[in-house]
Amino acid sequence: MRRKILAAALLAATVGSGTAAAKPTVVIGYENNGADPWMVSQAQKLFQKMLPADVQLKFFDSGPAAMSALASNALQFMCGLGVPPFVAAVSQGVPLGIIYNQERYTSAAGLIVRPGSGIKTLADLKGKKIAIVEGSQSSFELATFLQQAHIPFDAVHQLNMSPPEMRVAWTTKSINAAIVWDPVFDALRGLGGVVLKTDADLPPDASSYNICIADTAWAKTHPALVTDFIRALNAGVTYTRTHPKQAIALMAKQAGITKSVAKTELAGYQIFSAKDQTKHSVLGTTATVATSATTKTLENTGKVLLKIGRIDKLPPDAAAAVLPQYAAAVH
């Protein structure tokens, strides 16, 4: 009898260790886009708590910087990503899909000009040095704003640099203007920058979003993990709405900013919950995704990027890259 008990214990230990060894690794890439509910989920370690996996977080200073990691399958998820780098990747055949539209930029990103630069209107941008992150949302914004003012895209001097580099270039007066997002957008405003345009000025069918994306092949084989990921992300949104003061304190600490700045930055977003995802104004449903706001934004962003030479061809099917089914499973 004792031998049977020991054998059973040994078998249980073996099975237990095998299960632990099989625990999947999930790497989540992210950007610091200032104060948003992602920071709450991160601060409360909700991804580690709600996903039955070895969860690792990896920081990127811009969307284009994350593309090689996504293309090489080094990331399962990427959040805080702008639409243009996603469109560029999909146009090249990288199997990625939007599983969650985090938020729409309103006043938390845009075109800001340095005091003394002589820029008072869009027309004054001609010949000026403008800092952008090439291939990111800022490329699309610059092209759109210039088009609105009937200014050729090549009529300005574009300087490619990361958001932190923009802040340095601003203080050394190496640039006249920048198109960037929070927290650097807010920091430049604090240094006397004048906001010429915000993302609220973008067309409704070509908005500026922060999105969460996943490797589509991985998502198909791990649908429960994708749903758990969205549930953890949504818990940050819920906490932000029900405990705004505590959420702002968490965001401020995670983003390295003051509570006052965090409150201002959060007000510059239109935040979307998991329930919002299936609205036609966000991802839509499997039946309406082809005409949803997110899909139309992908299509129109692609047209602009193609026109300015950022991509060589349009994504073959924008709607196929928008995946509302995972969020729909959350509620």
Side-chain angles (χ1 to χ4, degrees), residues 112-121 124-129 170 173 175-178 192-194 196:
I112 187 165
V113 300
R114 190 171 51 77
S117 63
I119 303 173
K120 298 187 182 302
T121 67
D124 299 325
L125 293 173
K126 291 181 180 179
K128 296 295 194 299
K129 297 177 181 178
W170 186 278
K173 299 183 180 180
I175 57 176
N176 304 118
V194 177
L196 207 58

Side-chain angles (χ1 to χ4, degrees), residues 16-228:
S17 63
T19 302
K23 193 175 184 181
T25 296
V26 173
V27 183
I28 305 171
Y30 70 98
E31 292 185 56
N32 178 2
N33 294 314
D36 75 1
W38 156 270
M39 293 294 187
V40 174
S41 295
Q42 184 183 29
Q44 295 183 328
K45 299 186 183 301
L46 298 181
F47 299 109
Q48 292 89 336
K49 293 175 182 177
M50 300 177 72
L51 272 72
D54 175 17
V55 176
Q56 301 172 15
L57 301 182
K58 184 173 178 60
F59 171 74
F60 294 90
D61 62 14
S62 70
M67 286 301 102
S68 60
L70 286 162
S72 63
N73 299 317
L75 299 178
Q76 282 67 56
F77 300 102
M78 177 67 196
C79 284
L81 187 71
V83 171
F86 174 77
V87 170
V90 172
S91 72
Q92 296 170 15
V94 181
L96 300 172
I98 301 174
I99 58 168
Y100 196 102
N101 189 330
Q102 294 170 262
E103 60 234 348
R104 174 178 176 264
Y105 278 102
T106 54
S107 60
L111 170 60
I112 187 165
V113 300
R114 190 171 51 77
S117 63
I119 303 173
K120 298 187 182 302
T121 67
L122 289 175
D124 299 325
L125 293 173
K126 291 181 180 179
K128 296 295 194 299
K129 297 177 181 178
I130 304 177
I132 64 169
V133 179
E134 285 187 0
S136 76
Q137 186 68 32
S138 55
S139 288
F140 168 74
E141 291 168 79
L142 178 60
T144 303
F145 292 147
L146 291 178
Q147 185 176 3
Q148 289 175 352
H150 306 289
I151 300 172
F153 188 65
D154 58 0
V156 300
H157 298 298
Q158 301 171 47
L159 301 177
N160 180 32
M161 55 184 70
S162 69
E165 290 172 334
M166 290 183 191
R167 190 168 182 171
V168 174
W170 186 278
T171 57
T172 60
K173 299 183 180 180
S174 301
I175 57 176
N176 304 118
I179 295 185
V180 69
W181 49 88
D182 278 339
V184 172
F185 182 67
D186 194 68
L188 298 185
R189 187 161 40 191
L191 293 172
V194 177
V195 177
L196 207 58
K197 287 279 187 178
T198 69
D199 282 7
D201 296 309
L202 293 171
D205 57 356
S207 292
S208 175
Y209 297 121
N210 278 330
I211 55 177
C212 280
I213 67 174
D215 178 290
T216 52
W218 185 90
K220 285 180 181 179
T221 56
H222 301 85
L225 281 175
V226 178
T227 301
D228 287 340

